[in-house]
Amino acid sequence: MQLTGAEIIIECLLEQGVDTVFGYPGGAILNVYDALYKYSHKIRHVLTSHEQGASHAADGYARATGKVGVCLATSGPGATNLVTGIATAQMDSVPVVAITCNVGTALLGKDSFQEVDIAGIVMPVTKHSYIVKDVTKLADTIRKAFVIAGSGRPGPVLVDVPKDVTAASCEYIQHKITKPEPVTDTIRKEDVEQAVQMISQSKKPFLFVGGGAVISDAWQEVRELAHRIQAPVCDSLMGKGAFSGEDDLYTGPVGMHGTKTSNYAMCECDLLIALGTRFSDRVTGNTQTFAPNAKILQIDIDAAEINKNVQVDACVTGDLKMVLKQILEKQEKMDHSQWVAHIMEMKEKYPLNYDHTQLTGPYVIQKLYELTGGDAIISTDVGQHQMWAAQYFKFKEPRTFLTSGGLGTMGYGLGAAIGARMGCPDKTVVNIAGDGCFRMNMNEIATAVRCKKPLVQIVLNNHVLGMVRQWQTLFYGQRYSQTILDDAVDFVKLSEAMGAKAIRVTRTEEVEPALKEALSSKGTVVLDCWIDQNLSVYPMVPAGASLDDVFDEEDMKENEQSI
């Protein structure tokens, strides 16, 4: 049948099973929005307040559902406003297809109104980018974009379509889409056998779970391996929920703000089994002293990650779920009760702790965990609140922690929460932000209200850029250059002006009733929780230091007394 390019785009989305898109219209993409109007009974469009919010929403939708997220934007600034969200998705391996429309082909390259080479701009932060100048190639390009975004190691793909191509017509033939198969052709039998041998010879194995365990849906295999070989487990931000935070073998996050137990265990283990992780600098600290007593076994789908940041002793390349299945077929049960008992002693000796005499971020998050029973999707922005969420909310299931781990994008969380809310309508969704991050994209509260679905926004408001100020306190002689936000901005009034219910919380006894009201609401609720600006995130490993240099507030007090 003959369809316009705009109609072909929508039909291709339907082929892929897309039910929700996030975007913002403009001149160059008007033909697509006109077609979308005709298909509104089949595809739900969420109008965000800003294109960046659309890209983060598509990202959050993808992380929460495991599907490919889709966002739309017009040419010029509309397209460039997507870039931060696209880069965020690239760093965290999130499958997103961004569709932009450009000026007509005759105007390309002539500095036309609202013209940018968006395909060129995003080339370093996408798996692939296209500009389609021939309507007969449009359908196949859209299909390729979805395959690339969702296969192998996922990531974002951008398709840019000139306006005249969206208006042109050609014959469209519907295709039946098949889901990409897991990557197994790179899994070598001898590598699996070596992995089993290393595990069988270890006395102190330690599992380090990364985002690949979530992406490949390998959580059942991860849990089975940990218990079969009696290995304690730590995780990265991206790996949260792949191993339950309520499991006795769980030691907490590792790295700069990881628990003392995880960091010390990393230094004491004799075998580190790294599952779908890229060994970020925030995890490893000084790579020269990382896991000094351990052989390292790395399992990852991306061969480029092997020996990139940390030199390993053995590896298996391929889809993590498939690799673990093969290992579990050969791996016998092991008894490491002495090693596990030592880990349990460390967990008891070095618990996470915070000031219980005042309202704090950890208190709010711990109370949120208690009231939800851990059954919620939590998104965050970036900073102290993000670390507290990772430390104090016990994530039991995968795809329940949405955060910008690689790029560290302030303003990410609220858009991501909206995406998760649309993709998982039966789940409780809460975004946790600091006041600095909330300022970045708080206009998306209007979007959340417009969606008419329950959503909770918690702002841990200390009137400073908390994490940056913490560094200034510890390493910059308390010179608080441009990190104090002590102004007249009132988040309660702003939220109410955008149609949300808003509650200010200033005391610990106000937290539980405010959370209960927010969690039971059928709309958007903002909790403005005022906490002290001097609160810091501990434990902490200084940048570039060894993981066993981890310190907490008690260590700082003891050090001051000894001086």
Side-chain angles (χ1 to χ4, degrees), residues 302-330:
D302 188 353
E305 291 297 341
I306 308 297
N307 293 320
K308 185 177 82 173
N309 294 328
V310 170
Q311 294 297 305
V312 302
D313 297 280
C315 66
V316 187
T317 305
D319 179 83
L320 180 60
K321 186 180 182 74
M322 297 297 108
V323 172
L324 289 180
K325 280 181 178 294
Q326 292 188 28
I327 289 175
L328 287 166
E329 287 174 2
K330 302 175 183 293

Short mmCIF file of all heavy atoms in Angstrom, two decimals, residues 302-330:
data_model
loop_
_atom_site.label_atom_id
_atom_site.label_comp_id
_atom_site.label_asym_id
_atom_site.label_seq_id
_atom_site.Cartn_x
_atom_site.Cartn_y
_atom_site.Cartn_z
N ASP A 302 30.61 -7.67 25.52
CA ASP A 302 31.39 -6.76 24.68
C ASP A 302 32.88 -7.06 24.84
O ASP A 302 33.47 -6.80 25.89
CB ASP A 302 31.10 -5.31 25.08
CG ASP A 302 31.71 -4.30 24.13
OD1 ASP A 302 32.49 -4.70 23.23
OD2 ASP A 302 31.41 -3.09 24.28
N ALA A 303 33.50 -7.60 23.80
CA ALA A 303 34.92 -7.95 23.85
C ALA A 303 35.80 -6.73 24.12
O ALA A 303 36.89 -6.86 24.68
CB ALA A 303 35.34 -8.62 22.54
N ALA A 304 35.30 -5.54 23.75
CA ALA A 304 36.09 -4.32 23.97
C ALA A 304 36.26 -4.00 25.44
O ALA A 304 37.15 -3.23 25.83
CB ALA A 304 35.43 -3.14 23.25
N GLU A 305 35.40 -4.57 26.30
CA GLU A 305 35.49 -4.30 27.73
C GLU A 305 36.53 -5.19 28.42
O GLU A 305 36.94 -4.90 29.54
CB GLU A 305 34.13 -4.50 28.41
CG GLU A 305 33.08 -3.46 28.04
CD GLU A 305 33.46 -2.05 28.45
OE1 GLU A 305 34.33 -1.89 29.33
OE2 GLU A 305 32.89 -1.10 27.88
N ILE A 306 36.93 -6.26 27.77
CA ILE A 306 37.90 -7.17 28.37
C ILE A 306 39.28 -6.50 28.36
O ILE A 306 39.78 -6.08 27.31
CB ILE A 306 37.96 -8.51 27.61
CG1 ILE A 306 36.55 -9.11 27.45
CG2 ILE A 306 38.91 -9.47 28.31
CD1 ILE A 306 35.86 -9.45 28.73
N ASN A 307 39.89 -6.41 29.52
CA ASN A 307 41.22 -5.80 29.69
C ASN A 307 41.26 -4.32 29.33
O ASN A 307 42.34 -3.77 29.10
CB ASN A 307 42.28 -6.55 28.88
CG ASN A 307 42.52 -7.96 29.39
OD1 ASN A 307 42.54 -8.18 30.59
ND2 ASN A 307 42.68 -8.91 28.48
N LYS A 308 40.11 -3.66 29.31
CA LYS A 308 40.10 -2.23 28.98
C LYS A 308 40.53 -1.39 30.18
O LYS A 308 41.41 -0.53 30.06
CB LYS A 308 38.70 -1.79 28.52
CG LYS A 308 38.66 -0.33 28.05
CD LYS A 308 37.28 0.06 27.54
CE LYS A 308 36.34 0.42 28.67
NZ LYS A 308 35.05 0.96 28.18
N ASN A 309 39.92 -1.62 31.31
CA ASN A 309 40.23 -0.85 32.52
C ASN A 309 41.02 -1.65 33.54
O ASN A 309 41.81 -1.08 34.29
CB ASN A 309 38.94 -0.34 33.16
CG ASN A 309 38.22 0.68 32.30
OD1 ASN A 309 38.85 1.44 31.57
ND2 ASN A 309 36.90 0.69 32.36
N VAL A 310 40.78 -2.95 33.58
CA VAL A 310 41.46 -3.83 34.54
C VAL A 310 41.95 -5.06 33.78
O VAL A 310 41.21 -5.65 32.99
CB VAL A 310 40.49 -4.25 35.67
CG1 VAL A 310 41.10 -5.34 36.52
CG2 VAL A 310 40.12 -3.05 36.54
N GLN A 311 43.19 -5.44 34.01
CA GLN A 311 43.72 -6.65 33.40
C GLN A 311 43.15 -7.88 34.10
O GLN A 311 43.19 -7.98 35.33
CB GLN A 311 45.25 -6.66 33.50
CG GLN A 311 45.92 -5.57 32.68
CD GLN A 311 45.66 -5.72 31.18
OE1 GLN A 311 45.93 -6.77 30.60
NE2 GLN A 311 45.14 -4.67 30.57
N VAL A 312 42.62 -8.80 33.32
CA VAL A 312 41.98 -9.98 33.89
C VAL A 312 42.79 -11.23 33.60
O VAL A 312 43.63 -11.24 32.69
CB VAL A 312 40.53 -10.13 33.37
CG1 VAL A 312 39.72 -8.89 33.69
CG2 VAL A 312 40.51 -10.42 31.87
N ASP A 313 42.52 -12.29 34.35
CA ASP A 313 43.24 -13.56 34.18
C ASP A 313 42.52 -14.49 33.22
O ASP A 313 43.16 -15.37 32.62
CB ASP A 313 43.40 -14.23 35.55
CG ASP A 313 44.24 -13.39 36.49
OD1 ASP A 313 45.48 -13.43 36.38
OD2 ASP A 313 43.66 -12.66 37.32
N ALA A 314 41.22 -14.33 33.09
CA ALA A 314 40.44 -15.16 32.17
C ALA A 314 39.15 -14.44 31.85
O ALA A 314 38.70 -13.56 32.59
CB ALA A 314 40.16 -16.53 32.76
N CYS A 315 38.54 -14.82 30.74
CA CYS A 315 37.28 -14.17 30.35
C CYS A 315 36.44 -15.12 29.53
O CYS A 315 36.94 -16.09 28.94
CB CYS A 315 37.56 -12.90 29.54
SG CYS A 315 38.34 -13.20 27.93
N VAL A 316 35.14 -14.84 29.53
CA VAL A 316 34.21 -15.48 28.61
C VAL A 316 33.42 -14.37 27.96
O VAL A 316 32.84 -13.53 28.66
CB VAL A 316 33.25 -16.46 29.32
CG1 VAL A 316 32.44 -17.23 28.28
CG2 VAL A 316 34.01 -17.42 30.23
N THR A 317 33.39 -14.36 26.64
CA THR A 317 32.70 -13.29 25.91
C THR A 317 31.39 -13.82 25.35
O THR A 317 31.37 -14.84 24.64
CB THR A 317 33.58 -12.76 24.75
OG1 THR A 317 34.84 -12.36 25.27
CG2 THR A 317 32.91 -11.58 24.07
N GLY A 318 30.30 -13.13 25.68
CA GLY A 318 28.99 -13.54 25.17
C GLY A 318 27.89 -13.08 26.10
O GLY A 318 28.14 -12.46 27.14
N ASP A 319 26.66 -13.37 25.73
CA ASP A 319 25.51 -13.00 26.55
C ASP A 319 25.64 -13.63 27.92
O ASP A 319 25.83 -14.84 28.06
CB ASP A 319 24.22 -13.48 25.87
CG ASP A 319 22.99 -13.15 26.68
OD1 ASP A 319 22.50 -12.02 26.57
OD2 ASP A 319 22.54 -14.03 27.44
N LEU A 320 25.54 -12.81 28.97
CA LEU A 320 25.81 -13.27 30.33
C LEU A 320 24.89 -14.41 30.76
O LEU A 320 25.33 -15.39 31.37
CB LEU A 320 25.69 -12.09 31.30
CG LEU A 320 25.97 -12.41 32.76
CD1 LEU A 320 27.38 -12.93 32.97
CD2 LEU A 320 25.72 -11.16 33.63
N LYS A 321 23.63 -14.29 30.44
CA LYS A 321 22.67 -15.34 30.83
C LYS A 321 23.07 -16.68 30.21
O LYS A 321 23.07 -17.72 30.89
CB LYS A 321 21.26 -14.95 30.38
CG LYS A 321 20.16 -15.90 30.86
CD LYS A 321 18.80 -15.43 30.35
CE LYS A 321 17.68 -16.31 30.85
NZ LYS A 321 17.38 -16.09 32.28
N MET A 322 23.44 -16.65 28.93
CA MET A 322 23.81 -17.88 28.24
C MET A 322 25.12 -18.45 28.79
O MET A 322 25.26 -19.67 28.95
CB MET A 322 23.96 -17.61 26.73
CG MET A 322 22.68 -17.17 26.05
SD MET A 322 21.37 -18.42 26.10
CE MET A 322 20.25 -17.70 27.29
N VAL A 323 26.07 -17.56 29.11
CA VAL A 323 27.34 -18.02 29.68
C VAL A 323 27.13 -18.67 31.04
O VAL A 323 27.65 -19.75 31.32
CB VAL A 323 28.34 -16.84 29.81
CG1 VAL A 323 29.59 -17.29 30.56
CG2 VAL A 323 28.73 -16.31 28.43
N LEU A 324 26.34 -18.03 31.88
CA LEU A 324 26.09 -18.57 33.22
C LEU A 324 25.35 -19.90 33.16
O LEU A 324 25.60 -20.80 33.98
CB LEU A 324 25.32 -17.56 34.07
CG LEU A 324 26.11 -16.32 34.50
CD1 LEU A 324 25.23 -15.40 35.34
CD2 LEU A 324 27.36 -16.69 35.28
N LYS A 325 24.45 -20.04 32.20
CA LYS A 325 23.76 -21.32 32.03
C LYS A 325 24.77 -22.44 31.76
O LYS A 325 24.68 -23.54 32.32
CB LYS A 325 22.75 -21.24 30.89
CG LYS A 325 21.42 -20.57 31.26
CD LYS A 325 20.49 -20.57 30.07
CE LYS A 325 19.13 -19.96 30.41
NZ LYS A 325 18.37 -20.75 31.39
N GLN A 326 25.75 -22.14 30.91
CA GLN A 326 26.76 -23.15 30.57
C GLN A 326 27.67 -23.45 31.77
O GLN A 326 28.06 -24.59 32.00
CB GLN A 326 27.58 -22.69 29.37
CG GLN A 326 26.79 -22.65 28.08
CD GLN A 326 27.66 -22.38 26.86
OE1 GLN A 326 28.84 -22.72 26.84
NE2 GLN A 326 27.08 -21.78 25.83
N ILE A 327 28.02 -22.41 32.52
CA ILE A 327 28.84 -22.62 33.72
C ILE A 327 28.08 -23.46 34.75
O ILE A 327 28.64 -24.39 35.34
CB ILE A 327 29.26 -21.26 34.32
CG1 ILE A 327 30.30 -20.59 33.41
CG2 ILE A 327 29.83 -21.44 35.73
CD1 ILE A 327 30.71 -19.20 33.85
N LEU A 328 26.80 -23.14 34.94
CA LEU A 328 26.00 -23.85 35.94
C LEU A 328 25.79 -25.32 35.58
O LEU A 328 25.60 -26.16 36.46
CB LEU A 328 24.66 -23.15 36.13
CG LEU A 328 24.72 -21.81 36.89
CD1 LEU A 328 23.41 -21.05 36.73
CD2 LEU A 328 25.03 -22.05 38.37
N GLU A 329 25.84 -25.64 34.28
CA GLU A 329 25.73 -27.04 33.87
C GLU A 329 26.91 -27.87 34.35
O GLU A 329 26.80 -29.09 34.55
CB GLU A 329 25.63 -27.12 32.34
CG GLU A 329 24.29 -26.67 31.78
CD GLU A 329 24.30 -26.63 30.25
OE1 GLU A 329 25.35 -26.99 29.66
OE2 GLU A 329 23.27 -26.24 29.67
N LYS A 330 28.06 -27.20 34.55
CA LYS A 330 29.29 -27.90 34.90
C LYS A 330 29.72 -27.67 36.35
O LYS A 330 30.49 -28.45 36.90
CB LYS A 330 30.43 -27.45 33.97
CG LYS A 330 30.17 -27.67 32.49
CD LYS A 330 31.28 -27.08 31.64
CE LYS A 330 31.00 -27.22 30.15
NZ LYS A 330 31.04 -28.65 29.73
#
